[in-house]
Amino acid sequence: MTEHHQRAREAADVLAGLTGVDHHDIALVLGSGWLPAVDALADRDGWTVNAEIATTDLPGFGAAAVAGHSGRIRSIGSGDRNLLVFLSRTHFYEGKGVAAVVHPVRTAAAAGCETIVLTNGCGGLRETWSPGTPVLISDHINLTAHSPIEGAHFVDLTDLYSPRLRRLCREVDPSLDEAVYVQFPGPHYETPAEIGMVRAIGGELVGMSTTLEAIAAREAGMEVLGISLVTNLAAGISDAPLHHEEVLEAGRSAAVRMGGLLSEIVGRI
């Protein structure tokens, strides 16, 4: 066990003590704009909040650094199932290192989660995707030039984004599109030329998170579902300037639909 995995084990032990929940089943990492959706989830179908704690209460976690993210972790239960929700994430561009970015994923795995739902707010390359459109991640391209895996530990990323979970999502909502997600390091938005490159290499979603977490989840043996909330058209697709507030507004506008989608999906996993 590496030092980073040991720290995740320690965080999971503290988490169990603070929440009173010994075992969580599913983890959910919230991206920009997704907080209203999980609030809506908590109001549906018998899901109740077991506990909510500050991320800084756990070893290895820092405070949230981005507007629209809450530096808290929420445990939600329904029957004998428990959902572990990270209301914030550490982004690669914060400069804290890859291990900090994937620490929540490793903590979730140590807490018993066998499935993880990774969400994000991102730019979309299809003009038919209006702000607030959810899109399933079918695959990714990691342009950070980094990996969370240390040493000669070779992890197969074929079908990284679970085909089974994507089929389940389309049963819930047949209108859901799928696309390849491309992660840039950030924090600046992409140039129109870079978006042209994304299109050329087969990407249609672009953002600053998710891929490193997905790799760490696969390393931990978790089944991965990725859902992007298209919050704006990517640079050069429209003439509108890009700003973070539109990301948050798209999330607020789509909260009820996203909450319903999460509730249906989590209930079937």
Side-chain angles (χ1 to χ4, degrees):
M1 181 180 293
T2 69
E3 175 187 349
H4 299 307
H5 290 86
Q6 178 60 38
R7 184 173 296 180
R9 177 69 268 168
E10 294 169 0
D13 290 342
V14 175
L15 174 74
L18 292 175
T19 62
V21 178
D22 292 334
H23 180 93
H24 286 85
D25 304 286
I26 303 168
L28 172 60
V29 178
L30 294 193
S32 296
W34 279 85
L35 181 56
V38 82
D39 288 337
L41 166 65
D43 294 332
R44 294 174 58 96
D45 302 331
W47 290 97
T48 58
V49 177
N50 298 318
E52 184 169 312
I53 64 173
T55 55
T56 49
D57 289 341
L58 301 184
F61 284 83
V66 180
H69 289 254
S70 173
R72 303 191 67 78
I73 299 169
R74 187 177 297 172
S75 173
I76 303 175
S78 178
D80 61 352
R81 308 178 78 222
N82 293 294
L83 177 64
L84 185 63
V85 184
F86 295 91
L87 303 183
S88 65
R89 60 159 38 102
T90 297
H91 290 81
F92 181 68
Y93 56 70
E94 294 176 40
K96 298 177 181 177
V98 175
V101 171
V102 303
H103 184 57
V105 172
R106 287 173 171 161
T107 297
C113 296
E114 297 182 354
T115 303
I116 190 164
V117 181
L118 300 172
T119 71
N120 61 57
C122 73
L125 273 67
R126 291 191 203 175
E127 293 185 15
T128 55
W129 288 338
S130 59
T133 300
V135 180
L136 302 176
I137 299 176
S138 60
D139 204 345
H140 80 222
I141 297 172
N142 173 15
L143 295 184
T144 69
H146 287 77
S147 171
I149 301 172
E150 301 173 357
H153 180 199
F154 304 107
V155 177
D156 182 9
L157 299 185
T158 304
D159 289 337
L160 171 56
Y161 297 92
S162 169
R164 182 185 77 87
L165 295 182
R166 285 186 278 136
R167 284 194 300 271
L168 183 154
C169 290
R170 289 192 299 274
E171 290 173 5
V172 171
D173 184 348
S175 70
L176 286 170
D177 285 327
E178 293 189 353
V180 174
Y181 176 89
V182 180
Q183 180 179 351
F184 280 83
H188 52 274
Y189 290 110
E190 303 74 30
T191 67
E194 288 170 335
I195 294 302
M197 177 189 73
V198 168
R199 189 186 299 278
I201 63 177
E204 291 185 289
L205 302 166
V206 61
M208 306 173 193
S209 69
T210 305
T211 71
L212 298 172
E213 294 152 302
I215 294 168
R218 170 52 64 88
E219 180 191 27
M222 303 170 81
E223 191 172 19
V224 180
L225 173 64
I227 310 176
S228 289
L229 181 66
V230 175
T231 56
N232 54 271
L233 291 176
I237 307 297
S238 76
D239 296 329
L242 302 178
H243 53 85
H244 191 61
E245 179 53 38
E246 72 178 331
V247 174
L248 303 183
E249 177 56 35
R252 287 189 289 266
S253 299
V256 174
R257 182 184 180 190
M258 295 301 92
L261 178 64
L262 288 177
S263 180
E264 290 287 339
I265 290 170
V266 169
R268 297 188 183 200
I269 291 176

